Amino acid sequence: AIPIVLNGSDILGSAQTGTGKTAAFCIPIIEMLSKDEKSRALIMMPTRELARQVLDVINQLTNNGDKIKSACLIGGEALRIQIRQLKDHPRIMVGTPGRINDHLENKKIDLKHCTYLVLDETDRMLDMGFGKQIDKIFKHLPIKKQILLFSATLPDKIIELSKKYLHEPERVAIKSD
């Protein structure tokens, strides 16, 4: 997936948990953000635990935000802490759809420079009822963006979502050992 991301293509990927997909999208996104200081990335996850895990990987790869700051936007944590993180102009935002929408509604987050979007564990997000919230978030994103959609399975609802939002995606499938 890394060369495909670096090439600028959208991805429709299927991969089970534990196959290294977090690194497969974090490494090229950090690389591209380091070359374009205006761009931002939004990574959406179904749960706060997964969001924290992804943020840990990002912090390891960015030397704890040395040059590229990040923010964790998840429910169950104080809004004031997240608002403080957003005031630092993070380049990578990791969060759950519900909390991202909370910040959008309160005008605490601006996604107009968010040129990279990752939807991870998309099947779980849709199973948890986040479809409408994901649609709301898309309305705040720029027209030109790269989307990386990953799902453990590719049921019809994922294929429909990919047709709606992805532009000529490359298909990537990773089998777990």
Side-chain angles (χ1 to χ4, degrees), residues 24-41:
F25 62 74
C26 287
I27 291 169
I29 285 175
I30 290 167
E31 173 72 17
M32 292 183 300
L33 290 176
S34 70
K35 293 178 180 177
D36 177 5
E37 292 187 16
K38 288 184 182 177
S39 62
R40 308 269 184 272

Side-chain angles (χ1 to χ4, degrees), residues 9-76:
S9 297
D10 285 1
I11 288 182
L12 174 58
S14 57
Q16 299 294 324
T17 301
T19 54
K21 77 182 139 102
T22 301
F25 62 74
C26 287
I27 291 169
I29 285 175
I30 290 167
E31 173 72 17
M32 292 183 300
L33 290 176
S34 70
K35 293 178 180 177
D36 177 5
E37 292 187 16
K38 288 184 182 177
S39 62
R40 308 269 184 272
L42 177 64
I43 302 171
M44 275 193 274
M45 313 293 294
T47 67
R48 56 186 145 202
E49 294 79 20
L50 287 169
R52 280 193 197 104
Q53 288 173 12
V54 169
L55 193 67
D56 287 345
V57 171
I58 289 166
N59 286 336
Q60 289 171 3
L61 293 170
T62 61
N63 203 17
N64 285 320
D66 228 10
K67 294 191 177 7
I68 298 175
K69 292 185 187 319
S70 58
C72 190
L73 310 175
I74 57 175

Side-chain angles (χ1 to χ4, degrees), residues 8 10 114-117 138 141-147 165:
D10 285 1
C114 191
T115 50
Y116 305 104
L117 173 67
F138 266 90
L141 293 165
I143 292 169
K144 189 172 190 230
K145 62 193 160 298
Q146 183 178 11
I147 302 170
Y165 292 120

Side-chain angles (χ1 to χ4, degrees), residues 148-172:
L148 314 176
L149 188 154
F150 292 97
S151 185
T153 61
L154 293 176
D156 290 343
K157 59 188 172 186
I158 300 290
I159 301 300
E160 288 172 30
L161 186 74
S162 73
K163 287 178 182 173
K164 185 175 179 182
Y165 292 120
L166 276 63
H167 177 72
E168 298 177 7
E170 295 267 349
R171 189 68 185 84
V172 177

Side-chain angles (χ1 to χ4, degrees), residues 84-127:
R84 194 175 325 122
Q85 289 177 359
L86 290 169
K87 285 181 180 176
D88 278 346
H89 306 288
R91 309 264 321 278
I92 302 174
M93 294 163 285
V94 181
T96 53
R99 185 49 62 97
I100 293 165
N101 272 306
D102 290 344
H103 288 295
L104 286 168
E105 287 169 14
N106 293 322
K107 300 194 182 338
K108 298 295 180 191
I109 187 174
D110 181 0
L111 300 178
K112 71 179 175 224
H113 294 292
C114 191
T115 50
Y116 305 104
L117 173 67
V118 177
L119 297 164
D120 194 15
E121 306 235 3
T122 309
D123 51 350
R124 284 186 60 197
M125 281 196 280
L126 294 179
D127 288 345

